[in-house]
């Protein structure tokens, strides 16, 4: 097992309200009022806010170093390339990966589509013998879970439709936990890929990665981890977790939109056929054929998200300096406060683990007699920002007998006062709508 990077090994002492109030000063957007009320931002599970250091890092790149990378010998091009590749090393180290195992993407969704289209390309003539391990045949199985975000479901459905493979799923129980006994019967000799979320964006569940990876390894299947709700909120070491691929999005971890990453084991990435082709990812090009560079350039055709990558590295530094285990401990406290408080309000059904059980710092819930969109608008009138809808997880909501829920999600800049203001507002919802 690979040791956790030193900068992630911090004291597990949680943050506290006093420290969080200082942290909030780094986030200009949190200083405003909404509908005459101080903004309470509880929608970081969808998109987090940006500290000044991240905003300044992107601005500084454009002011001082803006140039195309890997393409020029002039001073600005060299500095831009150094900043771009230093950012890659910083973000790779943050998740325990090597620099050449991290591919820049626009977001996690693109990373998952990159994987599935590369696997599809492995079945095409001329893909080469090294790509054969990714080629799918009719009857091969792709296993996901019933709690997946659409981004980790639809690409596999499309891959199956194009190759004759079959998508199977691990069901959840009524409490929202994966049925591991069922998983042991589903993952078998025909399983080629097991793709699952590390932490559910609806339930708040933290899935048992080690148990799932063990099942995949026994079947010789590749493991794909959706780390969108874990990498921003807890220490994640992809080598220690023993996954083959992982994806996450910058906009959920203090960085700008338009940047994300795909981690993959080096030997796998270098055997995979490219997804996008064009400039910057080639060795030699003739009028008949082209040769491709190794990872990561192999999957980074065209002009990249340079300033966004630099900003993501700044975000990672901010998180590391705060301490990922400290952030996780604080959000665990806030998550428990959410669940306990919501559970005490009549007519509220909270999804996911019960109070006292492990979960990340979010809670999705249903208010009896009131549509989630109405709940969200009522909370907004109090200056409280939450998420409403199916959260890109329609099959999960359908399994739980719902069409939509309201979700509050916390981050390192939220206080217990934020949670209490939210709970006080939720307590007034049913009376306001006479439900």
């Amino acid at each position: 097992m690979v040791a956790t990077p030193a900068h992630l090994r911090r004291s597990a002492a949680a943050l506290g309200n006093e420290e969080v109030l200082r942290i909030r000063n780094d986030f200009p957007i949190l200083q405003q009022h909404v509908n005459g009320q101080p903004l309470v931002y509880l929608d970081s599970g969808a998109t987090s806010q940006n500290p000044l250091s991240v905003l300044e890092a992107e601005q500084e790149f454009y002011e001082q170093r803006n140039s195309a990378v890997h393409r020029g010998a002039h001073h600005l091009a060299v500095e831009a390339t150094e900043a771009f590749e230093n950012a890659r090393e910083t973000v790779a180290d943050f998740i325990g990966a090597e620099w050449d195992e991290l591919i820049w993407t626009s977001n996690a969704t693109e990373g998952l589509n990159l994987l599935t289209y590369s696997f599809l390309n492995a079945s095409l003539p001329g893909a080469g013998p090294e790509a054969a391990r990714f080629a799918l045949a009719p009857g091969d199985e792709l296993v996901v879970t019933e709690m997946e975000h659409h981004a980790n479901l639809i690409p596999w459905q499309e891959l199956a439709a194009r190759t004759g493979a079959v998508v199977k799923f691990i069901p959840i129980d009524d409490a929202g936990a994966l049925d591991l006994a069922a998983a042991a019967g589903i993952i078998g000799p025909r399983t080629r890929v097991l793709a699952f979320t590390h932490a559910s964006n609806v339930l708040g569940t933290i899935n048992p990665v080690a148990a799932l990876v063990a099942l995949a390894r026994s079947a010789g299947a590749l493991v794909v981890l959706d780390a969108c709700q874990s990498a921003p909120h807890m220490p994640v070491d992809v080598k220690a977790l023993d996954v083959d691929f992982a994806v996450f999005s910058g906009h959920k971890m203090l960085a700008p939109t338009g940047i994300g990453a795909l981690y993959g084991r080096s030997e796998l990435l270098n055997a995979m056929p490219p997804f996008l082709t064009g400039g910057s990812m080639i060795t030699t090009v003739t009028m008949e054929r082209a040769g491709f560079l190794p990872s990561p350039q192999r999957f980074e055709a065209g002009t990249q998200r340079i300033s966004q990558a630099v900003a993501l590295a700044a975000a990672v530094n901010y998180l590391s300096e705060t301490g990922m285990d400290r952030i996780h401990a604080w959000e665990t406290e806030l998550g428990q406060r959410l669940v306990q408080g919501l559970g005490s309000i009549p007519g509220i059904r909270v999804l996911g683990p019960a109070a006292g059980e492990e979960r990340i710092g979010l809670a999705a819930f249903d208010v009896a007699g009131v549509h989630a969109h109405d709940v969200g608008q009522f909370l907004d009138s109090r200056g409280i920002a939450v998420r409403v809808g199916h959260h890109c997880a329609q099959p999960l909501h359908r399994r739980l007998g719902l069409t939509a829920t309201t979700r509050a999600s916390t981050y390192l800049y939220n206080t217990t006062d934020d949670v209490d203001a939210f709970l006080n507002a939720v307590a007034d919802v049913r009376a306001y709508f006479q439900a």
Side-chain angles (χ1 to χ4, degrees), residues 11 23 39 65 150 162 199 222 291 297 325 328 334 353 369 411 425:
S11 166
I23 287 172
L39 172 62
R65 273 172 273 282
H150 295 163
R162 287 163 169 76
L222 295 169
Q297 284 78 21
D325 49 0
H328 179 48
L334 296 180
Y411 210 180

Side-chain angles (χ1 to χ4, degrees), residues 38-62:
L39 172 62
V40 174
Y41 190 77
L42 293 173
D43 194 22
S44 295
T47 290
S48 63
Q49 299 302 339
N50 314 114
L52 283 167
S53 60
V54 170
L55 300 173
E56 291 167 354
E58 186 164 21
Q59 180 177 347
E60 191 270 350
F61 174 83
Y62 280 119

